[in-house]
Amino acid sequence: LGFYRTTCPGDCLKCADCDRGFWRKDCADMDSGTCLACDSCPEHQYRFGCSGSLPGSCKNCESCPRGMKRVGCEGTSPGRCEACSPGSFSRDDESVCHPCSPGTVAPKAGASKCEPCGMGTFAASADSACEPCAAGSFAPSEGMPSCTPCEACVAGTYSTDTSQCVACPPGKYSEAGSSECHPCPAGTSSVLRACFVSQTLFKRRE
């Protein structure tokens, strides 16, 4: 096996190797054989051992460590492991990367999981860091893909962290949409979150 003759009697000649991706069939006796292309395999498999006088067989593409995917596993190549790109991840014993779900991020390559954005932040893009909500908007829980516009706090309340409106303490007042409360003018006191004296309402002067 692996040799043939051109004349009989005559010396035995070694069967010639075929190009990569081919194997030599029927090289024996007085026949030098023929090079045939290696058969293709189903998806996620490759042709293993197709060389010389052997046609080889299909073998499953191997999995990769977490945070990596297998690329180039086709034909007669087993491929190689490559890090998942930012915005995607893979778990143990997988060969593909999965995109991050909305509201989660993986800003660096080779992630094994996507992290949810915290309260007050959102994921503008899965391949970048979480961003804080802009003024006038909020994210009430983790894993928000966007921020929700705030409703203006009513007069007598204020908000500093874009999460909720808080009533002004006694002796202070605020106008609608305020981020802080102001002391009532001298000689007045706060009643129903506004400052009064002699039944007259005083507003803060600019």
Side-chain angles (χ1 to χ4, degrees):
L1 184 65
F3 292 87
Y4 72 101
R5 300 176 189 271
T6 57
T7 59
C8 186
D11 295 332
C12 290
L13 302 176
K14 186 177 184 302
C15 298
D17 291 333
C18 297
D19 293 335
R20 182 180 177 84
F22 292 80
W23 66 287
R24 187 168 293 278
K25 182 181 180 180
D26 296 333
C27 179
D29 298 329
M30 301 288 290
D31 190 349
S32 62
T34 304
C35 286
L36 300 177
C38 298
D39 290 338
S40 59
C41 294
E43 188 178 8
H44 305 309
Q45 292 186 340
Y46 71 101
R47 177 67 57 173
F48 175 75
C50 179
S51 63
S53 59
L54 300 175
S57 59
C58 290
K59 188 174 182 180
N60 291 331
C61 298
E62 296 183 3
S63 59
C64 294
R66 63 175 63 184
M68 306 191 80
K69 64 180 178 180
R70 184 162 293 278
V71 296
C73 180
E74 56 187 6
T76 59
S77 174
R80 69 185 187 281
C81 289
E82 186 177 277
C84 293
S85 58
S88 63
F89 73 101
S90 72
R91 295 176 283 262
D92 284 329
D93 300 325
E94 290 189 321
S95 58
V96 296
C97 297
H98 309 282
C100 294
S101 59
T104 64
V105 296
K108 296 182 179 180
S112 59
K113 62 179 180 178
C114 299
E115 299 289 348
C117 292
M119 292 179 59
T121 64
F122 73 104
S125 175
D127 59 1
S128 61
C130 298
E131 298 182 17
C133 293
S137 63
F138 72 106
S141 60
E142 289 187 342
M144 298 296 292
S146 61
C147 297
T148 303
C150 298
E151 294 183 3
C153 292
V154 299
T157 65
Y158 72 103
S159 176
T160 58
D161 60 7
T162 69
S163 61
Q164 60 182 341
C165 298
V166 181
C168 291
K172 293 187 176 183
Y173 76 100
S174 70
E175 297 180 356
S178 296
S179 61
E180 61 179 334
C181 295
H182 307 287
C184 290
T188 67
S189 61
S190 60
V191 179
L192 298 177
R193 301 172 185 171
C195 301
F196 287 88
V197 61
S198 302
Q199 304 302 317
T200 302
L201 174 63
F202 289 83
K203 291 185 177 180
R204 182 177 180 230
R205 293 180 180 178
E206 299 297 334

